[in-house]
Amino acid sequence: MKLITAKEAAEKVLSKEPLFILDVRNQDAFGDWKIEGFHIEHLNVPYFDLIEGVEELVDKIPKDKDLLVVCAKQGSSEMVAEMLDEAGFEDVLVLQGGMRAWSEYLKPVKIGDLSNGGSIYQFVRVGKGCLSYFIESDGEALIVDSSRSVDSYIDFAKEKNITIKHVVDTHLHADHISGGRLLREKTEAVYHLPPKDAEEVQFSYEPLEEGKDLQVGGATVRVQSVYSPGHTIGSTSLIVDDKYLLTGDILFVESIGRPDLAGKAGDWADDLRNTLYNTYERLNDELIVLPAHFSNTSELGDNGAVQAKLGDLFEKNDGLNMDEETFRKAVSENLPPQPNAYQEIRQTNMGKINPEANEQSEMEIGPNRCAIHG
Amino acid sequence: MNSDKVLDAKGLACPMPIVKTKKAINELNAGDVLEVHATDKGAKADLSAWAKSGGHDLLQDTEEDGVLKFWIKKVNPEEGELLPLF
């Protein structure tokens, strides 16, 4: 039996190696959320049905593929892996820290260079489908839609000898706990939030407003704010270096944002329509869309990055190709279930509640569920 | 709620709360009620799923000051096996 980290597991998943996953969580947890990938075969048998022995599994697990056993935290998969080991399976892999660690791991992928020597990186939270951004130039960085595991950005910045100057949330998140305040604490970065999403927040912040550009690396990179409501009333997109469009939870590669997570689907459906079909329509087709989420591994490109040209999305993304009536229905009826603990997550992001780190991990369990697929 | 036996699984991480619950249930007679105390949050979903798959009745569960409590009634093993799972 061998422990592998979430990082090593992500490399396996993204490298498209065939992998057999024995998931020993209960059936509801498995049905809700699992490790997804290109050549993955799953078997779900809860660990509590295997306490007496693993005989029932022997014929169901192929011996010619890597075998990874996963559970919620690690303990149960270790128990099952040891039993499989005794039953003659060699090199059984166990996911260290379980699905909790899988949910938290961030993989940095370089998206491209900026005009004045800087670059932009996407931090892919493979397990949860969250995407955040690290934009650096001339020794300074701006981070967009930071995850809670802020050490990933801090370590990355240290390695490259970069100071984190700004952290921006494109909106008040409902699916994950923002790392914005924690980053501000640890790095003295300025924390920017759209004021319309921040009416109830319990801490100070810098308002993120259209017409007030941000600058990275002594003005070598311009970050323009575009007010783009719809997922939330404050949602604001960022145009970086006139080349990249950070859409937050408004527009994804294969889907569009949902307008209901703050409980106001009807009111915000029109805003969402206007942002997608008017505001974005007027932007340059050549902009590279960099969203805050992906839902399916089909959205990951060859290097594991999630991106698409705005012009291509206007052709291919169903959410950008609906008449008004169809659109209204799509964004207000039969919506997918909300993200786990989304109300508590919003409260945490507003500073109204302050759960312990352990509780925060529990709250963030499961997929992001911020998208509507047309 | 009355119980015939109390199992203290506080401070134990998965899979131990269920391993111990299973063992304790095996030692009881059909119809007896086992009370389980645990602190691992995952125990809640897992214990109810386990009770269902084993045919036992989860009579009640509560949470107070971070301690999860469960009352599980042991069902006659033969009856339990006859219960349809789905």
Side-chain angles (χ1 to χ4, degrees):
Chain A
M1 185 189 95
K2 189 184 155 210
L3 284 176
I4 64 167
T5 60
K7 180 180 180 181
E8 291 165 322
E11 275 155 16
K12 272 187 182 297
V13 168
L14 296 173
S15 73
K16 313 191 180 182
E17 279 176 50
L19 182 64
F20 190 91
I21 296 182
L22 172 64
D23 193 321
V24 299
R25 292 174 300 155
N26 69 62
Q27 285 162 337
D28 286 348
F30 175 77
D32 205 30
W33 175 57
K34 58 181 182 287
I35 295 180
E36 314 259 8
F38 299 97
H39 297 287
I40 291 181
E41 204 183 325
H42 288 97
L43 176 65
N44 172 226
V45 183
Y47 67 91
F48 45 77
D49 289 340
L50 299 170
I51 294 172
E52 308 286 341
V54 292
E55 289 74 25
E56 60 165 301
L57 297 180
V58 172
D59 295 335
K60 293 182 186 162
I61 299 175
K63 294 216 165 171
D64 56 347
K65 284 185 189 175
D66 278 355
L67 168 63
L68 174 66
V69 188
V70 306
C71 66
K73 278 172 275 194
Q74 180 175 323
S76 303
S77 49
E78 271 182 310
M79 175 187 84
V80 173
E82 272 163 23
M83 292 162 90
L84 284 168
D85 197 60
E86 278 164 28
F89 285 86
E90 282 171 17
D91 305 320
V92 181
L93 304 173
V94 167
L95 179 61
Q96 191 177 350
M99 290 303 279
R100 176 182 280 194
W102 176 248
S103 160
E104 287 174 10
Y105 169 64
L106 300 178
K107 178 186 162 68
V109 183
K110 184 166 174 179
I111 297 290
D113 293 322
L114 302 175
S115 54
N116 284 318
S119 38
I120 176 164
Y121 295 83
Q122 184 175 59
F123 276 61
V124 183
R125 190 167 170 183
V126 186
K128 197 167 167 70
C130 297
L131 304 168
S132 49
Y133 296 91
F134 187 103
I135 299 156
E136 60 87 14
S137 182
D138 208 15
E140 295 183 5
L142 177 149
I143 293 172
V144 182
D145 291 330
S146 165
S147 286
R148 190 167 58 83
S149 321
V150 297
D151 288 342
S152 305
Y153 313 102
I154 294 173
D155 294 345
F156 190 78
K158 258 190 211 145
E159 246 172 60
K160 297 187 178 310
N161 208 8
I162 289 171
T163 311
I164 300 172
K165 286 280 190 182
H166 302 279
V167 51
V168 175
D169 276 335
T170 55
H171 60 284
L172 187 85
H173 297 287
D175 64 291
H176 69 270
I177 293 166
S178 168
R181 273 185 296 158
L182 199 55
L183 264 179
R184 170 165 72 181
E185 243 171 65
K186 292 194 171 186
T187 67
E188 296 176 16
V190 180
Y191 182 23
H192 306 261
L193 266 178
K196 287 191 178 171
D197 276 5
E199 279 168 8
E200 296 176 54
V201 306
Q202 309 291 310
F203 47 84
S204 65
Y205 64 94
E206 193 61 32
L208 178 74
E209 284 168 319
E210 187 166 312
K212 243 175 60 182
D213 296 350
L214 296 172
Q215 290 171 335
V216 189
T220 53
V221 179
R222 184 166 73 126
V223 179
Q224 231 178 311
S225 305
V226 179
Y227 180 50
S228 54
H231 174 64
T232 60
I233 189 64
S235 291
T236 300
S237 308
L238 301 173
I239 298 175
V240 177
D241 201 27
D242 294 318
K243 190 172 176 191
Y244 300 100
L245 174 65
L246 275 58
T247 53
D249 283 9
I250 292 292
L251 174 62
F252 306 117
V253 167
E254 291 182 356
S255 55
I256 56 174
R258 60 191 291 174
D260 65 310
L261 291 181
K264 295 180 183 167
D267 297 352
W268 293 350
D270 291 341
D271 286 326
L272 184 63
R273 171 102 193 162
N274 188 44
T275 292
L276 292 171
Y277 287 74
N278 296 315
T279 313
Y280 279 5
E281 168 69 26
R282 286 196 290 268
L283 298 175
N284 186 345
D285 267 359
E286 295 296 311
L287 286 170
I288 308 286
V289 169
L290 297 171
H293 290 297
F294 65 94
S295 308
N296 300 317
T297 36
S298 59
E299 293 175 75
L300 297 171
D302 282 341
N303 58 354
V306 181
Q307 56 179 318
K309 221 180 248 185
L310 182 59
D312 291 345
L313 294 188
F314 270 108
E315 275 174 31
K316 290 183 207 146
N317 187 318
D318 290 340
L320 291 173
N321 290 286
M322 291 176 181
D323 61 51
E324 273 187 48
E325 186 52 31
T326 318
F327 182 87
R328 174 164 276 283
K329 277 197 176 150
V331 302
S332 58
E333 291 174 16
N334 301 320
L335 294 178
Q338 284 97 354
N340 187 47
Y342 74 107
Q343 275 156 334
E344 291 83 359
I345 290 177
R346 294 183 73 250
Q347 302 259 318
T348 308
N349 284 336
M350 289 191 257
K352 288 186 172 177
I353 55 172
N354 296 295
E356 302 277 328
N358 250 352
E359 273 176 77
Q360 296 194 6
S361 314
E362 297 278 343
M363 284 157 67
E364 285 194 334
I365 279 210
N368 66 73
R369 289 192 174 134
C370 289
I372 291 171
H373 290 260
Chain B
M1 183 174 274
N2 290 330
S3 55
D4 298 286
K5 185 176 177 166
V6 178
L7 170 68
D8 182 1
K10 293 199 290 290
L12 297 177
C14 233
M16 289 324 285
I18 297 223
V19 170
K20 294 206 167 222
T21 302
K22 196 176 163 95
K23 191 160 168 275
I25 279 274
N26 284 344
E27 288 161 6
L28 292 179
N29 298 316
D32 286 353
V33 174
L34 175 69
E35 182 177 334
V36 182
H37 299 181
T39 45
D40 186 331
K41 296 258 189 247
K44 189 168 177 176
D46 286 353
L47 261 174
S48 56
W50 168 79
K52 215 175 181 183
S53 87
H56 301 295
D57 273 344
L58 178 59
L59 301 173
Q60 194 186 325
D61 67 273
T62 62
E63 181 174 357
E64 220 175 294
D65 297 330
V67 179
L68 302 158
K69 292 184 183 177
F70 307 88
W71 286 265
I72 303 161
K73 185 173 169 190
K74 178 167 178 167
V75 171
N76 184 316
E78 272 123 61
E79 256 175 63
E81 277 165 25
L82 289 176
L83 272 181
L85 288 180
F86 298 101

